[in-house]
Amino acid sequence: MDSKAQENQPRIRIFISSHKHVNAPQGECMQLVQVGAAHAPEHFEEMAHHDDEGENISEKNPMYCELTTQYWAWKNVDADYYGFCHYRRYFDFSDVKHEENAYGEVMDSYIDQAALNKYGINDETIQRIVPGYDVITTPFGDLRRIIDQHKTPTAVWHAATQLHDDDLKRMRDIIGKLQPEYLKDADTFLNGNSSCFCNMFIMKKEIFFDYCEWIFPILEEFERETDMSKYSKEALRTPGHLAERLLNIYLLHHKRVGTDWKMKELQCVHFTHPEPDQPLAPIAEVGKPLVPVVFAANEKYVPQLATAIYSAMSNASKDRHYDVVVLQRDITPISQRRMQMFFERFENMTLRFVDVDREISRYHLSTNNPHISIETYYRFVIQGILPFYDKVLYLDADIIVTGDIAELYDTEIGDNLLAAAHDIDFLSNLNVKNGKRPQYATETLKMHDPYAYFQAGVLILNTKAMRQYHSVEQWLTLATNPDYIYNDQDVLNVQCEGRMTYLPWQWNVLHDCAGRVSELFVSAPNNAYDAYMQSRKDPKIIHYAGFIKPWNDPDCDFAYLYWEYARETPFYEQLIKKVVVSDRPKTRKKKSGKPRAVKKNSGLRRILDPILPIGSKRREFFKVIGRVIRH
C-alpha cells in the first residue's frame, strides 16, 4: 500500500491493557498500555503507553481495572476509532467461526505469529473490517445457554460469590438519578437474557466520547455512595464489573431510541498463556569445561528427578561444571525452589527449569505405551531450546547414576547423530520364537539391521548435526507415528540408523523388571547377553525401565542402590508415600485383632527394617504417613 493510501486510512487505535510483561501484536492499530502504572515500581519500556501519563485515573486501577486505559485514551489520544482489548483477550477479526466454550470464548494457548494469522489480528485485516461499522463488540450471548445458564445478568451477578448484591441495585438507582432516560434500558438488560462480555469494544470517536461522558460520572457517583473499605480484592473491582453491565445498557438504549448505529459482533479469543517467551541463555563463564545435561519430568516425577540428579552429582567430577536443564510443563515454583535450594550444595552445578509447553502445544502428542509419558517427546526440542550447545547429554529421570557423567559426555561420536547403548530387551524379543518383533522391525520400522536397535533413555545428542538433519517440527511429526510401539525411541532408531555410536553397556543397565533377565534376556544374541550380564557387575547408570520401579516395588532389582540416594533428598518422604500407596491392598478385608502396619514377612518390611529401624523417629514418621493414607 502506497503512502498516499495510508494517509487516507482512518486512525484506528485498539489499546491492549496489561499490568505485566506479555506477548502482544505489533503494529499501528494495536498498542500496549501499562495499566495501574501509578502503582507499578517502573514503567515497562516495551509498552507504547502507560495509563499514568497525561490526564489520568491510573491510581484507581485496583477498582476500575481496564477502564483506566479507557479514561487515559479519552483524555490523551486523538483517533478516529477507539478500541479496547485485554492482554489475554482479543477480537477475532477473521471470517472464520471458531468453536466457543461454555462462557462464549474461543480458547487458545499462545500469542504467536500462527495465532495472530489465524484470528486476523493485524493492521491489514483491522483496517479492512473496522471502518465499515460504528460499534464493534463481543457477541451478545444467550444467558440461558452460557455462563452456567443463570438466565439473566442479575442472576449472573448474584452467583458471583465475592460481589455484593446491593451494588447492582445501587448502580440501577444511580442511573435513575443521573440518566433517568436509561432506567428502562437498565431494567430491560438486568432482567433480560442477553449480554456481551469482557468490556471489549471498538467505537467511532464521537460515540466513544459520548460513552465516556456517560459512564464515568455514574462510576464516580458509585464510588461516593459506596464504602468499599472492607471489600475483598475481587469486590474492590466492582466498578470494573459494573462497567461491563453499563456498556450493555448504553448500547441497548441507543438501539431502542433508534440511533441506527451499524454494529458488528466479533468473537473473543482467550489466550491462556500470554506470557512472553523467555529463551534459555548460556550460563556465565565458570572457568571449567561444561557438561550440559538434560532431563525431562513433570510435577509428579519430581522426587524421582531429584534422586536421579543427586546420584549423578554425587559421583560427578569436581573439575567440570554441570549445566543441568530440566524440561517441564507443570513443575510448580515451590518444587523448583526446593530442588534449587537442595542442589546449592554442589558448587559445580547449575540447575535450570524450562517450560516447553509453547514448543509442543501445536502437536497432538500421545504415546502408544501406558508406561511412557508425554515427557518422552521433550528430547526432540532440545536442539531448539539449547541452540548454544552442539552436544548435549540426555538422561531419563528413572535412573541412578553411579559413574561420572562427564566421562560419558566426553565420548567421541564424530559426525554421528547420537550415541546410545544397545537395547537388550528389543534384541531379546527379536529372537523369541514365533515372536512379532522381527516383522515389526523390518516392515513397520523398516530397519536394515534390527539388531542395531538402541535404548533411548541415555543419549549423547549431536544437536548440531540433528538440527541440520531435521527441524523440531519434523522430529515431533515423525515421532507421533501411530504405528510405533515406542514412539520416541522407535523414530530415533529409524532416523539415526547407520549414524550412531554405541555406548558401553554399563552406561544404560536395564534392571530386572518382572524377571525379564531370566525369562527374556536369555534369548538375546550370545554376545549381547554376555555384555549385558557383565555390565550388571559394575553399572554406571541403572535404568529402572518398565512398569516396576523402586518406588512401587522396593524389592525390585537394584532397589537398594536407589534408596541409598533417595533417602538423602528432601523428597524422600514423598517416595515412601508412593511405596505405601502401591503396597496397599486394593480390597480391604476385616480382620480380628489389631492389624499390623506392615506384615511381618512382606517385601516392604524387609526393605523398611534396615532403613527405618524399629523405635526410630523416621519409622514413627512413616507410620503416621501410613495411617493418613489408609484413612
Side-chain angles (χ1 to χ4, degrees):
M1 184 180 297
D2 58 41
S3 58
K4 188 172 184 179
Q6 288 180 330
E7 290 177 3
N8 293 329
Q9 285 184 333
R11 294 166 298 169
I12 301 172
R13 296 294 180 266
I14 302 174
F15 299 105
I16 307 162
S17 298
S18 181
H19 65 283
K20 61 181 182 179
H21 299 288
V22 293
N23 272 351
Q26 302 294 323
E28 288 293 320
C29 292
M30 305 202 74
Q31 300 183 2
L32 267 170
V33 180
Q34 182 181 354
V35 292
H39 298 284
E42 62 179 356
H43 280 183
F44 298 151
E45 294 182 0
E46 78 275 14
M47 297 193 180
H49 309 288
H50 311 86
D51 71 351
D52 63 345
E53 298 166 340
E55 186 175 348
N56 68 85
I57 55 170
S58 178
E59 75 282 352
K60 292 186 178 183
N61 181 258
M63 294 184 296
Y64 278 55
C65 309
E66 66 277 355
L67 266 75
T68 59
T69 296
Q70 293 182 26
Y71 187 94
W72 169 84
W74 174 34
K75 296 296 184 180
N76 298 283
V77 177
D78 183 22
D80 298 310
Y81 287 87
Y82 295 77
F84 301 91
C85 295
H86 311 162
Y87 68 96
R88 287 184 181 275
R89 295 178 175 88
Y90 293 82
F91 284 112
D92 177 359
F93 292 99
S94 74
D95 55 4
V96 178
K97 175 72 173 178
H98 293 103
E99 182 182 355
E100 296 178 347
N101 66 5
Y103 290 85
E105 294 181 325
V106 178
M107 300 303 296
D108 209 320
S109 53
Y110 293 97
I111 304 175
D112 53 23
Q113 194 56 52
L116 298 179
N117 293 338
K118 178 179 180 179
Y119 302 113
I121 305 176
N122 55 68
D123 284 353
E124 182 179 357
T125 306
I126 292 171
Q127 285 287 359
R128 178 170 54 83
I129 297 294
V130 172
Y133 299 93
D134 298 301
V135 178
I136 296 175
T137 66
T138 56
F140 284 82
D142 187 341
L143 297 177
R144 292 167 294 189
R145 295 188 300 105
I146 64 173
I147 318 295
D148 298 324
Q149 301 178 349
H150 288 303
K151 298 184 179 181
T152 69
T154 297
V156 172
W157 184 280
H158 290 170
T161 57
Q162 294 196 50
L163 299 183
H164 299 265
D165 294 347
D166 288 346
D167 288 344
L168 192 65
K169 181 180 182 300
R170 186 175 297 110
M171 178 198 74
R172 178 193 178 279
D173 294 342
I174 292 171
I175 291 174
K177 179 172 58 175
L178 299 184
Q179 300 286 348
E181 67 275 19
Y182 284 80
L183 188 58
K184 178 178 180 180
D185 308 292
D187 290 336
T188 300
F189 167 71
L190 293 173
N191 299 309
N193 305 117
S194 178
S195 177
C196 66
F197 295 95
C198 302
N199 221 4
M200 291 167 53
F201 60 83
I202 303 171
M203 295 178 179
K204 276 187 174 180
K205 179 177 182 176
E206 57 272 20
I207 298 175
F208 174 63
F209 274 51
D210 181 73
Y211 173 60
C212 289
E213 290 166 359
W214 178 82
I215 189 174
F216 282 107
I218 293 174
L219 295 175
E220 290 165 4
E221 182 63 22
F222 176 83
E223 274 191 85
R224 283 191 288 270
E225 294 186 11
T226 309
D227 179 8
M228 293 187 282
S229 61
K230 301 297 189 297
Y231 276 22
S232 68
K233 187 175 292 293
E234 185 60 32
L236 194 62
R237 294 157 54 94
T238 294
H241 288 291
L242 292 175
E244 192 174 20
R245 279 74 181 174
L246 289 168
L247 172 62
N248 281 267
I249 294 169
Y250 178 81
L251 296 175
L252 189 61
H253 170 78
H254 283 277
K255 181 179 181 180
R256 178 176 65 84
V257 300
T259 309
D260 200 27
W261 290 336
K262 189 175 181 181
M263 298 184 62
K264 183 176 181 62
E265 299 174 19
L266 294 177
Q267 288 184 287
C268 172
V269 186
H270 182 159
F271 292 100
T272 55
H273 296 285
E275 299 81 9
D277 187 16
Q278 296 181 328
L280 200 66
I283 63 173
E285 178 61 42
V286 293
K288 296 179 181 180
L290 289 175
V291 179
V293 189
V294 177
F295 289 86
N298 57 33
E299 172 66 19
K300 292 181 179 179
Y301 229 69
V302 163
Q304 294 91 326
L305 171 67
T307 302
I309 297 176
Y310 179 66
S311 69
M313 292 309 303
S314 296
N315 296 286
S317 169
K318 298 295 190 296
D319 297 326
R320 305 292 286 273
H321 190 90
Y322 300 80
D323 183 13
V324 180
V325 177
V326 177
L327 306 183
Q328 55 83 34
R329 288 193 297 173
D330 67 347
I331 297 181
T332 66
I334 292 176
S335 293
Q336 292 183 31
R337 183 58 186 148
R338 286 184 69 191
M339 286 189 63
Q340 287 168 335
M341 291 176 64
F342 174 67
F343 285 109
E344 284 177 355
R345 67 191 63 194
F346 296 105
E347 296 181 356
N348 61 332
M349 170 191 173
T350 303
L351 176 61
R352 303 191 281 175
F353 294 85
V354 180
D355 189 337
V356 300
D357 189 70
R358 186 186 299 270
E359 289 287 334
I360 67 173
S361 62
R362 300 191 302 272
Y363 307 94
H364 299 288
L365 302 178
S366 62
T367 61
N368 301 326
N369 189 312
H371 307 301
I372 300 176
S373 68
I374 294 298
E375 282 71 28
T376 193
Y377 291 109
Y378 293 1
R379 70 198 72 194
F380 294 110
V381 304
I382 293 174
Q383 65 186 55
I385 289 179
L386 285 79
F388 38 84
Y389 287 131
D390 290 338
K391 183 181 180 184
V392 173
L393 178 61
Y394 169 83
L395 301 175
D396 277 352
D398 57 346
I399 65 169
I400 284 296
V401 181
T402 60
D404 180 11
I405 54 176
E407 177 187 341
L408 172 62
Y409 176 76
D410 289 341
T411 301
E412 179 57 50
I413 63 176
D415 294 330
N416 285 332
L417 293 170
L418 55 78
H422 279 95
D423 188 341
I424 187 68
D425 190 292
F426 195 93
L427 271 56
S428 301
N429 273 290
L430 288 173
N431 281 358
V432 171
K433 190 173 183 179
N434 299 321
K436 298 181 179 180
R437 196 58 59 86
Q439 180 181 2
Y440 172 75
T442 56
E443 295 183 9
T444 302
L445 300 184
K446 295 180 171 55
M447 292 188 68
H448 300 292
D449 179 11
Y451 290 95
Y453 195 94
F454 58 83
Q455 216 283 338
V458 176
L459 298 170
I460 303 173
L461 301 175
N462 183 346
T463 48
K464 179 180 180 180
M466 293 183 75
R467 292 183 199 106
Q468 296 170 348
Y469 189 45
H470 287 314
S471 67
V472 170
E473 181 176 4
Q474 289 171 327
W475 279 116
L476 287 173
T477 301
L478 290 167
T480 52
N481 188 328
D483 296 329
Y484 288 170
I485 299 174
Y486 307 104
N487 302 71
D488 62 303
Q489 186 165 279
D490 283 348
V491 73
L492 284 171
N493 273 277
V494 170
Q495 296 296 315
C496 301
E497 186 177 15
R499 294 193 60 185
M500 57 90 55
T501 299
Y502 287 100
L503 296 173
W505 288 80
Q506 63 191 147
W507 282 113
N508 191 355
V509 180
L510 302 187
H511 81 315
D512 188 9
C513 179
R516 60 185 174 185
V517 172
S518 60
E519 297 296 327
L520 176 62
F521 291 0
V522 291
S523 297
N526 180 66
N527 291 341
Y529 178 74
D530 286 346
Y532 167 76
M533 294 303 293
Q534 184 65 30
S535 72
R536 289 177 56 85
K537 298 178 182 179
D538 183 27
K540 292 189 176 181
I541 291 182
I542 300 170
H543 190 178
Y544 302 92
F547 64 95
I548 293 179
K549 313 283 190 182
W551 52 92
N552 60 36
D553 182 2
D555 274 337
C556 77
D557 190 30
F558 288 117
Y560 70 95
L561 275 176
Y562 189 87
W563 292 107
E564 282 185 12
Y565 293 103
R567 71 173 60 98
E568 300 298 326
T569 74
F571 301 96
Y572 174 65
E573 287 76 14
Q574 289 175 242
L575 286 168
I576 289 294
K577 180 179 178 181
K578 292 178 184 292
V579 172
V580 175
V581 171
S582 63
D583 193 63
R584 183 175 56 189
K586 294 182 179 179
T587 57
R588 298 178 63 186
K589 297 180 180 180
K590 292 183 178 180
K591 296 182 179 179
S592 59
K594 187 176 180 180
R596 286 179 176 271
V598 182
K599 293 181 181 179
K600 184 176 181 179
N601 296 318
S602 71
L604 177 60
R605 185 161 184 174
R606 286 198 302 274
I607 190 67
L608 291 181
D609 282 346
I611 63 177
L612 302 174
I614 295 174
S616 67
K617 292 182 179 179
R618 179 172 284 174
R619 190 181 187 94
E620 292 305 309
F621 179 79
F622 170 81
K623 289 180 180 179
V624 172
I625 293 178
R627 294 189 194 104
V628 171
I629 294 173
R630 286 196 296 272
H631 292 85

